[in-house]
Amino acid sequence: MSNIVNRICDTLHHLLESVEVDPSPILTVAYSGGVDSTLLLHALAHYRDRHDLDVHAVHVHHGLSDNADSWLAHCERECRFLDIPFTANKVDIEQTTRTSLEALARNARYAALHDYCKQHNSILCLGQHSEDQLETVLLQLKRGAGPQGLAGMGAFQWRNKVLTLRPMLQESKQDILSAAQQLNLNWVEDESNADTRFDRNFLRNEVLPLLTARWPQMAKTTGRSAALCAEQSALLETEAKTHLSHCESVSAFGTSMLSGKYILSLSDSWKRAVIRQWFASKGALAPSQAQLVQVLNMLNAREDATPKVTFSWGYVARYQGSLYWVNNADERVKRELTLPEGSTLTLAWLNLQLRFESNFEEEKPLQLVVKTDVKGLKIKPANAQVSKPLKDWYKYWKIPVWERAKIPVVFFKEDAIALLINGDVVRLHRCPASFQLTVVSS
């Protein structure tokens, strides 16, 4: 067996020992049919035979090449020869004007791989090597990335709740090619790899040959720099998590919020680090430098203002000095629901249930209506002296603007008789004394 195959197996074994995984995990190879994933597949087949565990292979068919079907057939044959369970996943890619085909294909590929790994509770194994790491670091440098981006790809990392291993990250492309030829392996060549319109291909075909001709150890030393950046990034992340734990809390509406007072007490660098960590904890893409500035500037906005910075998942808003994480509209919020006497109504968006009992003798059966996004209403709570518009009471109760549409208002016939505020029933002056409204946690 080739030395490189033994090194890959040893690296894989070390990675599996360094993370908490099942004693006999399923290892899933992202198998494109190219030389890198082909050598990885054969190395893992060797590792399987030595350690008695399962190895699967997943091939993602993008449909972007005329050769895509023949590549799939090739991969299926190789897996049959190695007695490795094979799955082909076809994905559809629709290019938009603002997203590159390269990025769309990558996202679709990872989505398919992650779905498979989640379904089979398996570990994803990728065949990326040292030159891939060099390309990644250069691309991150081009984008103006910080230590986290310049750390490149980790030998192991969790991504989308899937453990990903890269046991070939220390291997060179030339060693991989030499080993594949020595072992008489069969692989396919993707003609798109020669298309220098794609950034990574431009680096691989035009830039890296010049760099490595001048500095042969470029990939190795860049890998070392990436590892140092990863180490520094981990230290920053640990400290940022500590700061985040000191300033993050959950509002009465279940919304994550950060204490503006605490954030403002930090240095500018730590302010940015804590906001980035907040985004990471929510599984969201890190904000750009401009977005970070906008978020932090909100803390100095007028006291009566409610500024916000919008993202694809929702927005960050400032309210009464704190920053709130507000997701896009909750589809579980219902505009109108009925609540018959003696029954319990589930309010899924609040994780609550509302029960209605009554001794009202005038008419049976009784039925209440629960509405949300109620506007233009004037109410008087049972313990209040005056009537005010509902929006004024929301201000008095300190209900953030974005939460108001979710507030359930209970009606009997045409009259508003109660509201649910912060998980409690607020009875209004028109609520019959014989009506009992009780909140139950779901």
Side-chain angles (χ1 to χ4, degrees):
M1 186 55 63
S2 164
N3 288 336
I4 191 172
V5 169
N6 288 328
R7 289 200 303 272
I8 294 170
C9 290
D10 290 344
T11 300
L12 177 64
H13 193 71
H14 173 72
L15 291 173
L16 290 172
E17 285 186 333
S18 65
V19 294
E20 293 184 6
V21 296
D22 294 334
S24 298
I26 296 174
L27 303 179
T28 296
V29 178
Y31 184 34
S32 67
V35 66
D36 306 328
S37 62
T38 296
L39 183 62
L40 178 62
L41 186 75
H42 280 258
L44 263 62
H46 182 62
Y47 187 84
R48 171 201 61 187
D49 297 338
R50 286 165 50 184
H51 296 277
D52 191 26
L53 48 70
D54 291 330
V55 173
H56 293 186
V58 174
H59 175 83
V60 180
H61 183 298
H62 300 94
L64 298 176
S65 169
D66 293 339
N67 298 313
D69 290 338
S70 63
W71 294 342
L72 188 156
H74 164 84
C75 291
E76 188 172 17
R77 284 194 303 272
E78 292 297 309
C79 287
R80 193 182 308 121
F81 175 76
L82 293 170
D83 194 23
I84 290 176
F86 173 78
T87 298
N89 196 322
K90 293 188 177 183
V91 296
D92 295 321
I93 299 174
E94 296 181 10
Q95 187 168 11
T96 61
T97 55
R98 299 187 63 182
T99 307
S100 73
L101 186 62
E102 188 179 21
L104 289 169
R106 180 176 62 250
N107 293 340
R109 180 166 63 253
Y110 275 112
L113 293 169
H114 289 160
D115 284 346
Y116 182 90
C117 289
K118 288 177 181 178
Q119 291 170 14
H120 294 80
N121 193 28
S122 67
I123 297 170
L124 180 61
C125 297
L126 303 176
Q128 288 147 335
H129 48 75
S130 62
E131 280 91 337
D132 289 325
Q133 181 75 299
L134 174 55
E135 293 165 9
T136 298
V137 171
L138 289 174
L139 286 170
Q140 291 291 346
L141 189 63
K142 176 186 76 74
R143 295 167 186 148
Q148 186 173 11
L150 296 178
M153 300 175 290
F156 72 89
Q157 62 185 166
W158 289 92
R159 182 173 178 180
N160 196 17
K161 299 182 180 179
V162 172
L163 178 59
T164 300
L165 304 182
R166 297 180 175 90
M168 294 168 58
L169 210 51
Q170 300 300 317
E171 306 298 339
S172 72
K173 181 71 172 186
Q174 185 55 54
D175 285 347
I176 291 170
L177 280 169
S178 298
Q181 292 165 351
Q182 177 188 343
L183 295 168
N184 293 317
L185 302 183
N186 298 309
W187 64 88
V188 301
E189 295 286 355
D190 184 348
E191 71 279 0
S192 71
N193 287 336
D195 189 345
T196 55
R197 291 177 300 171
F198 300 130
D199 287 347
R200 190 173 286 272
N201 288 346
F202 173 72
L203 282 175
R204 182 178 302 153
N205 297 315
E206 303 290 340
V207 178
L208 261 58
L210 295 174
L211 291 176
T212 53
R214 178 67 179 260
W215 300 293
Q217 298 299 310
M218 183 78 175
K220 184 176 181 179
T221 55
T222 300
R224 187 161 63 240
S225 292
L228 291 171
C229 285
E231 186 176 287
Q232 294 300 311
S233 182
L235 290 173
L236 289 171
E237 181 180 349
T238 298
E239 187 65 18
K241 283 180 177 178
T242 300
H243 281 301
L244 183 61
S245 69
H246 290 158
C247 66
E248 184 180 22
S249 59
V250 178
S251 73
F253 306 95
T255 305
S256 172
M257 56 185 286
L258 300 187
S259 164
K261 183 178 180 181
Y262 186 95
I263 295 294
L264 288 172
S265 72
L266 301 174
S267 69
D268 289 346
S269 295
W270 278 118
K271 287 173 187 173
R272 292 189 290 270
V274 172
I275 298 299
R276 288 192 194 98
Q277 189 57 45
W278 191 31
F279 275 66
S281 72
K282 305 301 178 190
L285 290 174
S288 67
Q289 197 71 9
Q291 289 169 327
L292 268 176
V293 170
Q294 289 178 299
V295 169
L296 292 172
N297 282 346
M298 290 195 296
L299 293 173
N300 297 312
R302 292 193 332 269
E303 189 174 340
D304 61 342
T306 309
K308 65 180 182 180
V309 180
T310 303
F311 300 88
S312 60
W313 46 263
Y315 56 89
V316 173
R318 199 287 305 269
Y319 183 72
Q320 294 192 333
S322 294
L323 296 176
Y324 287 78
W325 186 278
V326 185
N327 288 310
N328 288 323
D330 191 337
E331 295 180 357
R332 297 175 301 168
V333 179
K334 304 300 181 184
R335 291 296 299 270
E336 186 171 311
L337 297 165
T338 57
L339 177 55
E341 180 184 4
S343 66
T344 300
L345 177 65
T346 298
L347 306 174
W349 65 97
L350 298 178
N351 293 318
L352 296 173
Q353 292 181 321
L354 182 63
R355 183 161 183 81
F356 171 42
E357 302 282 359
S358 172
N359 297 320
F360 200 74
E361 300 294 340
E362 293 186 18
E363 62 178 86
K364 296 284 185 176
L366 295 175
Q367 180 170 281
L368 304 180
V369 176
V370 179
K371 299 180 181 181
T372 59
D373 199 20
V374 176
K375 299 173 183 176
L377 191 66
K378 195 170 185 179
I379 63 169
K380 179 183 177 184
N383 59 354
Q385 302 298 317
V386 296
S387 295
K388 294 182 184 179
L390 181 58
K391 65 178 183 178
D392 291 346
W393 285 111
Y394 283 156
K395 290 179 182 178
Y396 176 77
W397 290 320
K398 299 181 179 179
I399 308 297
V401 174
W402 58 87
E403 297 291 350
R404 296 174 186 178
K406 305 177 189 176
I407 301 293
V409 181
V410 183
F411 287 81
F412 177 52
K413 298 182 178 177
E414 300 300 320
D415 295 328
I417 63 169
L419 302 90
L420 262 66
I421 303 295
N422 294 343
D424 295 322
V425 175
V426 176
R427 297 174 70 93
L428 304 182
H429 79 291
R430 291 185 179 275
C431 185
S434 60
F435 283 15
Q436 297 177 21
L437 291 165
T438 309
V439 171
V440 182
S441 298
S442 295

